[in-house]
Amino acid sequence: MHGLASTMGYFGPPSPSISWVALLAIFNPRSTLAQVLGASTCSSPGRHSVFSSRHILSSCPLPVDEESAIDTGSWAPWKRRPYCVEPFMQSDEVTGPQFCVYTFEPFRGDKGLSIVTTPVLAATVVNSLDDSIVPPKLRDHASSSLEAEGRDSPAFTIKDVPGKGKGLVAQRQIRKWDVVLVDYPAMLAHMDLFDIVGDETRQDLLERALKQLSEKQQGELLSLARSHGGEPIEDILRTNIFGVELGIEIPHLGLFPIASRLNHDCRPNVFWRWSVRTLTVEVIAMRDIEIGEEITQSYVPLGLSYEDRKEDLKNWGFSCSCSLCTSTKSDRAASDKHRARLQHIYHELNEGATGKAELTADTIYGLVDEMESLVREEKLEAQLLVHYGAVARAYMRIGQLEAARKYVELCEDLWVRYAGEEEDYLAGMHQLRHELTEREKRAPVSENLKGG
């Protein structure tokens, strides 16, 4: 079973959280449906950092749909001619997307990949289908399906976990920041399928996508957990999803043969990140993991209270039985108090950073000390990624630039560790560094030397 989370939605900010449904609504409001049909989704400059002109996407092949495949007699690189359904929600104001089923093989070794998406978004994927695009450190990882001779066995084994079905369990010691698993999708489905496409049509598309994979892959996917009821493939997709993106931040649901086995824990020991460029998910240790310990990630944003976690997990059809949720009522209350205080500290730092509150250097120092203590207590170290950004900006606001520089550097280190080194994921990190650089240019020399 797997929960939906984006990298930044997963780590924070720790202010009042929103559900994954609301998060996707922000990413993909109904008014942007027309965007997914335009060629600009593939070829526009898109996001780029303050310091770099490299684009998230450059150019991609012309879109292929059922009609163009019939006209030209070609649907390369796809295995079969795309099967498409007519556009929905046609009106003068809104143009709904046409959805098609695309299958490519061999993908990442002897596997296949089926995608249910729009023709334009399928075109954005074409350059990522070649196995050579996967960097050696991922391609040659022990868990990668791109096999290499003489490789070590994976750090985990898949086995039954009491009360959870199948899960991943460490079979050797795993160190913090180790890459635990490298996995590639077997199916990707556009999020709007579950919003604007009728039940029968959606089921037809998903079943076609599944049946165009090999029998072995079909069996692997059909063996994944189910929790919602209804048609098997849709239930499996909803239960085991990874929230990933194609094109320029267009949400899709992804099924991964191994990573989808990751179970939930409110104090997880791994996190994951997705590369749209290589169509790869990496699962990375957040702390040391001992032999025999289950490898878990959080299906909900970190830092939520017990009641908020319980409410969010209703989306996945189970009640959490992790050590935190099954602790005594007084222990849960103490944890909730710590987490609420962390939210308040983050709010105070942001208020100071924006000038809405007057914070002194001593006050900021005290807040940081308390914050780091609570983070250790609650095992929420991943949230320092967003907390340190707020600390840096609060110090910048009062001219403590040496202290600000310290927390910019700490934030940068965590950003690379959690988000990875791909250019399109580093814009936020570059923005923080840019703010500090601009502040230093305007500050007198004496101010640059102030510490905190």
Side-chain angles (χ1 to χ4, degrees), residues 61-66 68-69 74-78 82 84 100 102 118-120 122-123:
L62 291 175
V64 177
D65 60 17
E66 196 166 15
S68 69
S74 173
W75 45 87
W78 308 109
C84 303
C100 304
Y102 300 88
T118 67
V120 166

Side-chain angles (χ1 to χ4, degrees), residues 398-405 444-452:
I398 61 172
Q400 297 284 330
L401 299 188
E402 185 177 348
R405 192 178 304 111
V445 174
S446 58
E447 192 168 296
N448 275 297
L449 298 177
K450 289 181 182 179

Side-chain angles (χ1 to χ4, degrees), residues 16-48:
S17 268
I18 56 175
S19 71
W20 65 269
V21 177
L23 182 64
L24 290 177
I26 292 172
F27 283 154
N28 192 29
R30 194 68 63 86
S31 61
T32 67
L33 287 175
Q35 175 188 349
V36 301
L37 285 177
S40 62
T41 305
C42 185
S43 59
S44 71
R47 292 179 296 155
H48 53 86

